[in-house]
Coordinates of all heavy atoms in Angstrom, one line a residue:
D123 N -58.7 44.0 27.8 CA -59.1 42.6 27.9 C -58.1 41.7 27.2 O -57.1 42.1 26.7 CB -60.5 42.5 27.3 CG -60.6 43.0 25.9 OD1 -59.6 43.0 25.2 OD2 -61.7 43.5 25.5
H124 N -58.4 40.4 27.3 CA -57.5 39.4 26.7 C -57.3 39.6 25.2 O -56.2 39.5 24.7 CB -58.0 38.0 26.9 CG -57.9 37.5 28.3 ND1 -58.9 36.9 29.0 CD2 -56.9 37.7 29.3 CE1 -58.5 36.6 30.2 NE2 -57.3 37.1 30.4
A125 N -58.3 40.0 24.5 CA -58.2 40.3 23.1 C -57.3 41.5 22.8 O -56.5 41.5 21.9 CB -59.6 40.5 22.5
G126 N -57.4 42.5 23.7 CA -56.5 43.6 23.6 C -55.0 43.3 23.9 O -54.1 43.7 23.2
L127 N -54.8 42.4 24.9 CA -53.4 42.0 25.2 C -52.9 41.2 24.0 O -51.7 41.3 23.7 CB -53.5 41.2 26.5 CG -52.1 40.7 27.0 CD1 -51.1 41.8 27.1 CD2 -52.3 39.9 28.3
D128 N -53.7 40.3 23.5 CA -53.2 39.5 22.3 C -52.9 40.4 21.2 O -51.9 40.1 20.5 CB -54.3 38.5 21.9 CG -54.5 37.4 22.9 OD1 -53.6 37.1 23.8 OD2 -55.6 36.7 22.9
A129 N -53.7 41.4 20.9 CA -53.4 42.3 19.8 C -52.0 43.0 20.0 O -51.3 43.3 19.0 CB -54.5 43.4 19.7
L130 N -51.7 43.3 21.3 CA -50.4 43.9 21.5 C -49.2 43.0 21.3 O -48.3 43.2 20.6 CB -50.4 44.5 23.0 CG -51.3 45.6 23.3 CD1 -51.3 46.0 24.8 CD2 -50.9 46.8 22.4
V131 N -49.2 41.8 22.0 CA -48.0 41.0 22.0 C -47.9 40.2 20.7 O -46.8 39.8 20.4 CB -48.0 40.0 23.3 CG1 -48.0 40.8 24.5 CG2 -49.2 39.0 23.2
Q132 N -49.0 39.9 20.0 CA -48.9 39.1 18.8 C -48.7 39.9 17.6 O -48.6 39.3 16.5 CB -50.1 38.2 18.7 CG -50.2 37.1 19.8 CD -51.5 36.3 19.8 OE1 -52.3 36.4 18.8 NE2 -51.7 35.6 20.9
G133 N -48.8 41.2 17.7 CA -48.7 42.1 16.5 C -47.3 42.8 16.4 O -46.3 42.4 17.0
E134 N -47.4 43.9 15.7 CA -46.1 44.7 15.5 C -45.6 45.3 16.8 O -44.3 45.4 16.9 CB -46.4 45.9 14.5 CG -46.7 45.4 13.1 CD -45.6 44.6 12.5 OE1 -44.4 45.0 12.7 OE2 -45.8 43.5 12.0
V135 N -46.4 45.6 17.7 CA -45.9 46.1 19.0 C -45.1 45.0 19.7 O -44.0 45.3 20.3 CB -47.1 46.6 19.9 CG1 -46.7 46.9 21.3 CG2 -47.8 47.8 19.3
G136 N -45.6 43.8 19.7 CA -44.9 42.7 20.4 C -43.5 42.5 19.7 O -42.5 42.2 20.4
K137 N -43.5 42.6 18.4 CA -42.2 42.4 17.7 C -41.2 43.5 18.1 O -40.0 43.2 18.3 CB -42.5 42.4 16.2 CG -43.2 41.2 15.6 CD -43.4 41.3 14.1 CE -44.2 40.1 13.6 NZ -44.5 40.3 12.1
E138 N -41.7 44.7 18.2 CA -40.8 45.8 18.5 C -40.3 45.6 20.0 O -39.1 45.9 20.2 CB -41.6 47.1 18.4 CG -40.8 48.4 18.5 CD -41.5 49.6 18.2 OE1 -42.4 49.6 17.3 OE2 -41.2 50.7 18.7
I139 N -41.2 45.2 20.9 CA -40.7 45.0 22.2 C -39.7 43.9 22.3 O -38.6 44.0 23.0 CB -41.9 44.6 23.1 CG1 -42.9 45.8 23.3 CG2 -41.4 44.1 24.5 CD1 -42.3 46.9 24.0
M140 N -39.9 42.8 21.6 CA -38.9 41.7 21.5 C -37.5 42.2 21.0 O -36.5 41.8 21.5 CB -39.4 40.5 20.7 CG -40.5 39.7 21.3 SD -40.0 38.9 22.8 CE -41.2 37.5 22.9
Q141 N -37.6 43.0 20.0 CA -36.3 43.6 19.4 C -35.6 44.5 20.5 O -34.4 44.4 20.5 CB -36.7 44.4 18.2 CG -37.1 43.6 17.0 CD -37.7 44.4 15.8 OE1 -37.8 45.6 15.9 NE2 -38.0 43.8 14.8
L142 N -36.4 45.2 21.3 CA -35.8 46.0 22.3 C -35.1 45.1 23.4 O -34.0 45.5 23.9 CB -36.8 46.9 22.9 CG -37.3 48.1 22.1 CD1 -38.6 48.7 22.7 CD2 -36.2 49.2 22.1
V143 N -35.8 44.0 23.7 CA -35.2 43.1 24.7 C -33.8 42.6 24.2 O -32.8 42.5 24.9 CB -36.1 42.0 25.0 CG1 -35.5 40.9 25.9 CG2 -37.4 42.5 25.8
E144 N -33.9 42.2 22.9 CA -32.6 41.6 22.3 C -31.5 42.7 22.2 O -30.4 42.4 22.5 CB -32.9 41.1 20.9 CG -31.8 40.3 20.3 CD -32.2 39.2 19.4 OE1 -33.3 39.3 18.8 OE2 -31.4 38.3 19.1
K145 N -31.9 43.9 21.9 CA -31.0 45.0 21.8 C -30.3 45.3 23.2 O -29.2 45.7 23.2 CB -31.7 46.3 21.3 CG -30.8 47.5 21.0 CD -31.6 48.6 20.5 CE -30.7 49.8 20.3 NZ -31.5 51.0 19.8
N146 N -31.0 45.0 24.2 CA -30.5 45.1 25.6 C -29.7 43.9 26.1 O -29.5 43.8 27.3 CB -31.6 45.5 26.5 CG -32.0 47.0 26.5 OD1 -31.4 47.8 27.2 ND2 -32.9 47.3 25.6
G147 N -29.4 43.0 25.2 CA -28.4 42.0 25.5 C -29.0 40.7 26.0 O -28.2 39.8 26.5
V148 N -30.3 40.4 25.9 CA -30.9 39.2 26.3 C -31.7 38.6 25.1 O -32.3 39.3 24.3 CB -31.8 39.4 27.5 CG1 -32.6 38.1 27.8 CG2 -31.0 39.8 28.7
V149 N -31.7 37.3 24.9 CA -32.4 36.6 23.8 C -33.8 36.3 24.2 O -34.1 35.5 25.0 CB -31.6 35.4 23.4 CG1 -32.3 34.7 22.2 CG2 -30.2 35.6 23.1
P150 N -34.8 37.0 23.5 CA -36.2 36.7 23.8 C -36.7 35.6 22.9 O -36.4 35.5 21.8 CB -36.9 38.1 23.5 CG -36.1 38.6 22.3 CD -34.6 38.2 22.6
L151 N -37.6 34.7 23.5 CA -38.0 33.5 22.8 C -39.5 33.4 22.6 O -39.9 32.9 21.6 CB -37.4 32.3 23.5 CG -35.9 32.3 23.7 CD1 -35.5 31.1 24.6 CD2 -35.2 32.2 22.4
A152 N -40.3 33.8 23.6 CA -41.7 33.6 23.5 C -42.4 34.4 24.6 O -41.8 34.9 25.6 CB -42.0 32.1 23.8
W153 N -43.7 34.6 24.4 CA -44.6 35.3 25.3 C -45.3 34.4 26.3 O -45.7 33.3 25.9 CB -45.6 36.1 24.6 CG -45.1 37.3 23.9 CD1 -44.8 37.4 22.5 CD2 -44.7 38.6 24.4 NE1 -44.4 38.7 22.2 CE2 -44.3 39.4 23.3 CE3 -44.7 39.1 25.7 CZ2 -43.8 40.7 23.5 CZ3 -44.3 40.4 25.9 CH2 -43.9 41.2 24.8
G154 N -45.5 34.8 27.5 CA -46.3 34.1 28.5 C -47.2 35.2 29.1 O -47.4 36.3 28.5
E155 N -47.8 34.9 30.2 CA -48.8 35.8 30.8 C -49.0 35.6 32.3 O -49.3 34.5 32.7 CB -50.1 35.7 30.0 CG -51.2 36.7 30.4 CD -52.4 36.5 29.5 OE1 -52.3 36.5 28.3 OE2 -53.5 36.3 30.1
N156 N -48.9 36.7 33.0 CA -49.2 36.6 34.5 C -50.7 36.9 34.7 O -51.3 36.4 35.6 CB -48.3 37.5 35.3 CG -48.4 37.2 36.8 OD1 -48.7 36.1 37.2 ND2 -48.2 38.3 37.6
G157 N -51.2 37.8 33.8 CA -52.7 38.1 33.8 C -53.0 39.5 34.2 O -52.1 40.3 34.4

Side-chain angles (χ1 to χ4, degrees):
D123 52 30
H124 288 137
L127 182 55
D128 289 343
L130 292 176
V131 300
Q132 294 175 11
E134 291 303 312
V135 171
K137 290 179 184 176
E138 190 169 332
I139 292 294
M140 288 294 206
Q141 288 168 359
L142 286 166
V143 171
E144 189 153 21
K145 187 178 178 182
N146 278 270
V148 173
V149 182
L151 304 173
W153 289 101
E155 184 176 307
N156 193 28

